[in-house]
């Protein structure tokens, strides 16, 4: 995950590309225990809720409940599958650095793990979110290609002044995406699969809208940065995501410059509606930080 508020120089001890050693031997037993607790909770919840591509990835990487994964072992498996590697970073990195890594099939992951009292909520992505949430999908060749293309697209969006629009695409796919399957709606977004609460909320709560994925529509929709989403977008397949994003975005950005945003809870006549949400949860939770 990137953030434009991150400092522009790497912190002391980090390389110019912001990477650090994972220093796996340095994790304490208590830190491994946090991973184990989180892993066990999600492993019990995700079958029948996460998509097959995610669950297969989890298995292929041999991510398990023994403790925090060692990137050296993780990367041997991941790299053989799709050419991706995971690199450790101290925390959020500047947008340009983040996109540069993605464009080279490197996924920047926080080294640190949340404290035991932060199991359900934390402000910065930690190693559980970054590795458990994101890396299983990177074993899927279609998704792996999408993430690389997104990195290149991010560098371009920065130059064109359209990053706020492209960031919404990342948010509503990579972080909070749902997918339609023959068995019903399934999760592929990392922000959901790494969150106990949102795993259930995103699929089962009557509050949020669940709408068919449309590229332009998604890029016009702000998102919640501080709470469960008010809208989720449903892909028919991962291939659709890759196909839609392989087109040249320059004309799309031009259109976006003329079109207003769509309210976060709106349903338009063009939307394919899976769920018309009550928005009861959002109404009951007053703060509304959006981007
Ligand atoms: N095709 C997009 C462009 O021309 C780049 C992109 C690819 C964006 C994949 C998002 C995901 O800018
Ligand atoms: Fe993330």
């Amino acid at each position: 995950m990137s953030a434009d508020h991150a400092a522009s120089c790497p912190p002391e001890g980090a390389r110019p590309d912001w990477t650090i050693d994972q220093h796996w031997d340095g994790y304490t037993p208590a830190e491994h225990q946090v991973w184990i607790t989180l892993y066990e909770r999600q492993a019990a919840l995700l079958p029948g809720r996460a998509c097959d591509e995610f669950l297969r990835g989890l298995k292929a990487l041999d991510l398990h409940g023994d403790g925090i994964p060692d990137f050296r072992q993780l990367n041997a498996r991941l790299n053989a599958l799709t050419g991706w590697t995971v690199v450790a970073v101290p925390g959020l990195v500047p947008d340009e650095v983040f996109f540069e890594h993605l464009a080279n099939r490197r996924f920047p992951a926080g080294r640190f793990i949340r404290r035991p009292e932060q199991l359900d909520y934390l402000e910065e992505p930690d190693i559980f979110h970054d590795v458990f949430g994101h890396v299983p999908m990177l074993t899927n060749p279609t998704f792996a290609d999408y993430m690389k293309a997104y990195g290149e697209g991010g560098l371009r969006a920065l130059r064109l002044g359209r990053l706020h629009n492209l960031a919404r695409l990342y948010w509503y796919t990579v972080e909070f995406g749902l997918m339609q399957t023959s068995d019903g709606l399934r999760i592929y977004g990392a922000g959901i699969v790494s969150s106990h609460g949102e795993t259930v909320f995103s699929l089962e709560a009557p509050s949020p809208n669940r709408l068919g994925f449309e590229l332009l529509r998604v890029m016009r929709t702000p998102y919640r940065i501080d709470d469960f989403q008010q809208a989720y977008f449903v892909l028919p397949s991962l291939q659709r995501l890759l196909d839609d994003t392989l087109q040249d975005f320059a004309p799309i950005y031009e259109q976006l410059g003329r079109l207003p945003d769509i309210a976060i809870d709106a349903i338009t006549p063009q939307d394919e509606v899976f769920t018309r949400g009550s928005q009861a949860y959002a109404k009951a939770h007053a703060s509304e930080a959006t981007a």
Side-chain angles (χ1 to χ4, degrees):
M1 184 83 214
S2 66
D4 44 23
H5 60 263
S8 55
C9 283
E12 221 187 298
R15 301 181 190 94
D17 70 354
W18 287 67
T19 61
I20 55 173
D21 283 332
Q22 186 194 11
H23 188 42
W24 185 80
D25 298 317
Y27 290 115
T28 66
E31 287 175 322
H32 284 297
Q33 189 52 52
V34 171
W35 175 282
I36 293 167
T37 304
L38 290 166
Y39 181 96
E40 285 177 352
R41 261 191 352 178
Q42 288 313 90
L45 200 59
L46 289 176
R49 291 193 173 90
C51 66
D52 287 344
E53 289 85 348
F54 178 88
L55 295 170
R56 273 202 299 271
L58 206 54
K59 228 183 190 166
L61 293 170
D62 199 26
L63 283 181
H64 38 63
D66 296 357
I68 297 170
D70 184 333
F71 289 176
R72 291 166 294 196
Q73 286 159 19
L74 179 66
N75 281 334
R77 292 202 172 82
L78 177 62
N79 199 259
L81 289 167
T82 56
W84 276 79
T85 54
V86 177
V87 292
V89 289
L92 293 170
V93 301
D95 293 322
E96 194 164 7
V97 174
F98 182 67
F99 296 140
E100 191 68 44
H101 280 301
L102 295 187
N104 289 287
R105 294 187 185 258
R106 291 187 300 264
F107 190 78
R111 182 206 172 269
F112 77 99
I113 192 152
R114 67 196 76 181
R115 295 190 307 274
E117 63 274 19
Q118 294 174 302
L119 288 192
D120 291 310
Y121 186 75
L122 78 168
E123 270 146 37
E124 277 208 25
D126 70 344
I127 193 170
F128 187 76
H129 168 79
D130 282 336
V131 173
F132 182 92
H134 284 282
V135 181
M137 288 303 290
L138 292 173
T139 66
N140 176 275
T142 308
F143 194 83
D145 287 353
Y146 169 68
M147 285 289 274
K148 176 197 157 52
Y150 186 92
E152 294 162 348
L155 292 169
R156 189 174 185 214
L158 262 177
R159 287 195 302 273
L160 297 175
R162 283 282 150 201
L163 189 55
H164 56 291
N165 293 119
L166 190 68
R168 293 167 176 176
L169 176 65
Y170 189 91
W171 196 264
Y172 282 121
T173 61
V174 177
E175 295 292 355
F176 293 97
L178 297 180
M179 191 153 52
Q180 188 183 20
T181 77
S182 51
D183 299 322
L185 295 190
R186 292 290 184 271
I187 305 160
Y188 71 93
I192 309 179
V193 291
S194 61
S195 158
H196 194 261
E198 197 146 2
T199 292
V200 176
F201 181 88
S202 67
L203 291 176
E204 288 149 46
S207 187
N209 296 331
R210 298 180 185 87
L211 307 170
F213 175 86
E214 286 296 335
L215 183 67
L216 191 67
R217 202 278 187 219
V218 165
M219 288 201 276
R220 294 174 63 194
T221 313
Y223 55 83
R224 297 293 298 251
I225 54 173
D226 63 339
D227 208 333
F228 296 153
Q229 298 306 303
Q230 290 181 245
Y232 297 92
F233 292 94
V234 181
L235 272 182
S237 67
L238 293 174
Q239 192 60 48
R240 164 76 185 277
L241 180 59
L242 184 60
D243 290 347
D244 278 14
T245 50
L246 282 179
Q247 63 182 302
D248 180 6
F249 277 23
I252 296 177
Y253 290 145
E254 218 169 278
Q255 275 190 69
L256 284 165
R258 293 190 301 267
L259 291 167
D261 282 356
I262 297 172
I264 198 163
D265 58 352
I267 296 181
T268 74
Q270 290 78 39
D271 284 327
E272 179 190 358
V273 181
F274 290 83
T275 307
R276 189 172 289 275
S278 66
Q279 299 295 333
Y281 178 88
K283 283 173 197 151
H285 293 72
S287 116
E288 285 199 9
T290 62

